[in-house]
Amino acid sequence: MSLGSFVDGVPARESWPAGIWEKLERFVQGHVIAAPTFSFYGSVQEPLNSVSAAFAASGQFKGEMVMQVPEDLAPQWAIITTATCDIAEPGVKKPKKPFVQVAPVVNLQHMDRGQQGHVRRNRVGHFVYLPALAARQSDLWVADLRYDQPVEKSWLAGQEPVEVFDNEAQRDQFGKALAWVRDRPAMGQVFIDHVQRPLQLAFQRLFAENKELGVRIDEEVSEWAVQADSRLDPHRLAIFVLSGGGVSGECREWWQVAVDGLREQAAMAGLTITGPVFADLSTYPAAEYLQLTVLGRLHSDLSNS
């Protein structure tokens, strides 16, 4: 019987190879490095992606196994997703974290132009646009947050960091995207069926019919939120539209019409909807904000949708 964690056993800082901590201090969250070999545990009988499908098609393997991403599909780069303070663990005499997480960096230049626009504006939740790398390589390079993998810090110390953001705001956006992957709230099915999905579909129709207005509304609204009597079994909820300085009349009108269109079907399912309430984050009371369930941008998915 195994006791403790296989991650334990990290030696004290002074016992690590000379110079390794100085090398680790060069790295921050969001730096790109040469990609390690990516692998995962998968099923040959029930393949769910291109790699496991290739293993199944070869006819050489059976059952469950470790699958290494083949060279023709392997990414050239990876991006560090671990928090900066956890990389070199400054001031910690006996480090406790021997691994750093990295995610693949992929080229989405094959996407159609409409989708590329959404990716460049970071409107596809699991992709984060890397502008400096894209400018250097003349393609559409993004961090793919659907997968990340641990690498030992001793391996990371031998790599060279590459900066892929133009400014601090872009790096902050990357950190927020990482947080959203883990922090997305779960909501009840009645909310998903009668609020979230209908609003997302209405927003998609807006983009198809009037892209300029859709982009403007998307840029004006920082996030939307709800205040509900229950997240998983709501019967009453208010919809909030949050901005960083107020929204235009066109934005107000679209949200009002969209929310009004939800009420009848939602009421038949036992859900009463009020709002939308338009709030400016620069003046909205912090105590009231903390009472809201923030749902990101309208295109963002929840943890169970």
Side-chain angles (χ1 to χ4, degrees):
M1 180 179 177
S2 175
L3 297 176
S5 170
F6 71 91
V7 182
D8 291 337
V10 183
R13 183 178 292 268
E14 62 268 18
S15 299
W16 283 53
I20 195 169
W21 292 106
E22 290 77 9
K23 291 178 180 179
L24 288 173
E25 287 171 354
R26 300 174 300 153
F27 295 95
V28 299
Q29 183 186 76
H31 269 159
V32 159
I33 57 173
T37 299
F38 284 108
S39 61
F40 59 90
Y41 204 74
S43 170
V44 175
Q45 271 65 45
E46 298 175 326
L48 295 178
N49 65 77
S50 56
V51 175
S52 54
F55 274 86
S58 72
Q60 301 177 41
F61 307 97
K62 292 183 179 180
E64 300 172 343
M65 59 179 290
V66 175
M67 298 179 179
Q68 181 176 310
V69 178
E71 188 174 343
D72 60 325
L73 295 176
Q76 179 180 356
W77 293 297
I79 190 166
I80 297 173
T81 61
T82 295
T84 299
C85 61
D86 288 334
I87 298 174
E89 297 184 78
V92 179
K93 292 183 178 180
K94 191 176 187 307
K96 296 180 175 61
K97 301 169 183 176
F99 297 108
V100 167
Q101 299 289 127
V102 299
V105 172
V106 298
N107 187 356
L108 299 183
Q109 195 63 29
H110 65 281
M111 274 188 166
D112 65 65
R113 287 176 178 259
Q115 280 293 100
Q116 287 190 27
H118 289 310
V119 170
R120 284 192 171 90
R121 298 200 318 278
N122 287 316
R123 299 301 187 260
V124 181
H126 51 271
F127 293 138
V128 180
Y129 180 49
L130 306 177
L133 184 60
R136 193 178 306 141
Q137 299 293 325
S138 302
D139 275 329
L140 183 58
W141 293 95
V142 303
D144 187 346
L145 303 185
R146 294 174 295 178
Y147 177 94
D148 63 358
Q149 170 176 299
V151 296
E152 204 163 33
K153 288 180 178 180
S154 51
W155 177 87
L156 177 65
Q159 309 306 308
E160 290 299 323
V162 177
E163 181 59 74
V164 291
F165 297 110
D166 292 323
N167 52 55
E168 192 172 313
Q170 291 175 359
R171 187 179 298 283
D172 288 346
Q173 177 63 41
F174 179 64
K176 290 176 181 177
L178 291 172
W180 182 251
V181 170
R182 300 286 190 267
D183 197 39
R184 291 173 295 170
M187 302 294 288
Q189 196 61 44
V190 67
F191 174 85
I192 293 170
D193 291 342
H194 296 287
V195 181
Q196 186 206 12
R197 284 179 182 159
L199 282 177
Q200 287 184 331
L201 289 172
F203 197 51
Q204 291 170 13
R205 288 195 298 271
L206 174 64
F207 257 89
E209 296 166 3
N210 190 340
K211 182 178 178 180
E212 181 181 347
L213 178 58
V215 170
R216 193 158 66 248
I217 290 175
D218 193 32
E219 290 175 347
E220 288 181 13
V221 176
S222 302
E223 55 195 11
W224 73 298
V226 297
Q227 192 170 44
D229 56 355
S230 169
R231 290 184 184 180
L232 298 180
D233 185 25
H235 294 281
R236 291 187 59 83
L237 68 81
I239 293 177
F240 288 74
V241 180
L242 308 173
S243 66
V247 297
S248 63
E250 287 178 306
C251 181
R252 283 178 174 269
E253 181 181 2
W254 183 86
W255 271 94
Q256 187 67 62
V257 170
V259 172
D260 286 345
L262 304 175
R263 301 188 204 278
E264 183 177 352
Q265 290 296 317
M268 292 174 63
L271 177 62
T272 300
I273 298 175
T274 60
V277 177
F278 295 91
D280 184 345
L281 289 171
S282 64
T283 58
Y284 195 65
E288 294 183 28
Y289 179 81
L290 292 174
Q291 299 300 312
L292 303 178
T293 298
V294 177
L295 302 173
R297 292 183 178 271
L298 193 52
H299 53 77
S300 301
D301 288 329
L302 306 179
S303 65
N304 62 331
S305 68

